[in-house]
Amino acid sequence: MNVDAFSVGVSSSGINGISASGADATAANKAGGNGGTVNISSTHLPGMGSVTISSPITATTGKNGSNVTTGGNGGTVNVTSNGTVTVNSTVKVSDSATPRASKNEIGRAHV
């Protein structure tokens, strides 16, 4: 998404949270899906653009089946801006807690 300015949460003109989390497992012996990728950029106009995150952004592993301890890989969140980036809420890209524990590949957040 490329915009002049962007807000997650805060006002009626903002987006109320973003989820790119993997799908939940469909059976007890299945792993949850990999987290996805979220790209937010306000860099296409020089000297303009700020990003404010005031509602959660998630790109985590989907819920694992009851017989699986670790599942998919964590996701990625990329935020770029010519202006300021303000983070007032959670940006979650992987999980270590059951039942959404990611396997070896942890998620990444780039701001």
Side-chain angles (χ1 to χ4, degrees):
M1 177 179 304
N2 292 305
V3 293
D4 297 341
F6 187 78
S7 175
V8 178
V10 186
S11 69
S12 61
S13 62
I15 294 174
N16 191 18
I18 297 171
S19 177
S21 293
D24 291 345
T26 56
N29 63 340
K30 300 287 184 181
N34 295 335
T37 300
V38 175
N39 294 308
I40 300 170
S41 175
S42 65
T43 62
H44 70 287
L45 295 174
M48 296 186 70
S50 63
V51 176
T52 302
I53 299 170
S54 294
S55 289
I57 297 176
T58 59
T60 62
T61 304
K63 184 178 177 182
N64 297 312
S66 59
N67 295 335
V68 177
T69 56
T70 59
N73 297 325
T76 303
V77 175
N78 298 304
V79 181
T80 55
S81 173
N82 283 335
T84 60
V85 175
T86 305
V87 180
N88 299 320
S89 190
T90 303
V91 177
K92 190 173 188 177
V93 293
S94 61
D95 207 330
S96 61
T98 303
R100 293 190 181 274
S102 302
K103 63 179 178 182
N104 297 333
E105 184 64 33
I106 60 169
R108 291 177 171 71
H110 305 267
V111 178

